[in-house]
Amino acid sequence: MHAAAGTAPGGRLVGLLESPAIGMSPWIIFSVLVGPGRFEVAVGIALAVAVALVIAGRLLRPGSSIKILEVSDVVFFAALAVIGAIASPGTHRWLETYAGEVSNIALAVIAFGSMAVRVPFTVQYARERVDREHWDSPQFLRTNYVITGVWGLAFLVAAVAGGFGDLVLHNPDNLWTAWIIQIAAIVAALRFTEWYPQVVRSRTNTVHHSPPVRALLIPLVGLLIPIGIVVLIFDAGASWFGVVLILVGVVLARAIRKDAEVTRHPGRHVK
């Protein structure tokens, strides 16, 4: 079902350009970086990445289509750069505070809007990885609806977290609402994008085994330890809470590794 994208000119870089996660990278970079005193830097980096992705896509994949997300990237961040350059001091302060939420909401609108018009934005990337004969199959389309929906939810979570930090806590740089929750939501969506197609393929192909749920949770479990360390270093919570996060992360990581080992080599653990 999958095309051999990795063997095309550009190798791994071409494969990366065929991932919707790369198309969303300017938005992710911007939502993570933006904040008081960082608006121009965040917009500049996001716009540069967006333009670079469009150029790289055309150079490395001359026949590839222009993606909805690529156009949205350039238009959105170019508009923000212009607005930021001519905005009054009050508007500039507003952008520094709320631009992260605006970008996350815009991405959620793009995701759910593309589903509403029956062209989930991930399908444009997926078509470059599969044979043309599968493009109109119900399974292929349904898979992309699910993945696009998960991305939309991830950015809604990020927008709500950022909004809570800005409007309720009155702290745009709150470690939890501005960083940890938003990064966790993006990591979860990234992992789901890799995991779910494998599950779908395993349902119709007896050669492929369905990936276990733990394969979906591994990145999130891996985040517990660094989050715990960050809590301790930056005093983002009670010290005992940071310690608990680290311990739970270690225990769960070991349990998942042991379970994976048992699954791969069941005979070694039979007494």
Side-chain angles (χ1 to χ4, degrees), residues 2 143 147 191-202 211:
H2 282 266
T143 298
I147 293 174
R191 183 55 186 153
F192 186 86
T193 301
E194 298 176 358
W195 177 82
Y196 186 67
Q198 298 176 35
V199 173
V200 174
R201 286 196 298 272
S202 70

Side-chain angles (χ1 to χ4, degrees), residues 82-267:
V82 172
I83 293 172
I86 64 176
S88 65
T91 301
H92 198 275
R93 285 192 297 272
W94 188 92
L95 287 171
E96 287 185 333
T97 302
Y98 298 109
E101 286 76 74
V102 170
S103 67
N104 283 319
I105 291 172
L107 256 181
V109 169
I110 291 172
F112 294 126
S114 69
M115 293 171 65
V117 298
R118 300 184 179 182
V119 187
F121 73 83
T122 59
V123 80
Q124 293 182 300
Y125 295 91
R127 282 175 177 170
E128 296 184 351
R129 292 190 165 201
V130 304
D131 298 326
R132 183 177 290 272
E133 64 189 79
H134 299 290
W135 286 9
D136 297 318
S137 71
Q139 175 181 296
F140 177 73
L141 295 174
R142 185 168 54 250
T143 298
N144 280 279
Y145 272 106
V146 172
I147 293 174
T148 300
V150 167
W151 274 106
L153 289 174
F155 281 101
L156 275 181
V157 169
V160 170
F164 186 84
D166 293 338
L167 299 172
V168 179
L169 301 180
H170 303 291
N171 182 8
D173 284 325
N174 179 272
L175 195 61
W176 287 95
T177 59
W179 299 90
I180 294 175
I181 294 175
Q182 296 193 40
I183 290 174
I186 300 305
V187 169
L190 283 169
R191 183 55 186 153
F192 186 86
T193 301
E194 298 176 358
W195 177 82
Y196 186 67
Q198 298 176 35
V199 173
V200 174
R201 286 196 298 272
S202 70
R203 294 172 181 169
T204 57
N205 190 336
T206 55
V207 176
H208 292 89
H209 297 288
S210 179
V213 176
R214 68 168 179 271
L216 176 62
L217 299 178
I218 286 174
L220 295 177
V221 171
L223 281 177
L224 292 178
I225 297 174
I227 289 175
I229 294 173
V230 167
V231 168
L232 293 176
I233 293 176
F234 294 98
D235 196 23
S239 297
W240 65 265
F241 182 61
V243 173
V244 168
L245 286 176
I246 295 172
L247 292 177
V248 170
V250 171
V251 171
L252 289 179
R254 288 182 176 178
I256 288 175
R257 283 199 298 269
K258 183 177 181 180
D259 186 35
E261 183 66 20
V262 171
T263 302
R264 288 195 297 268
H265 308 289

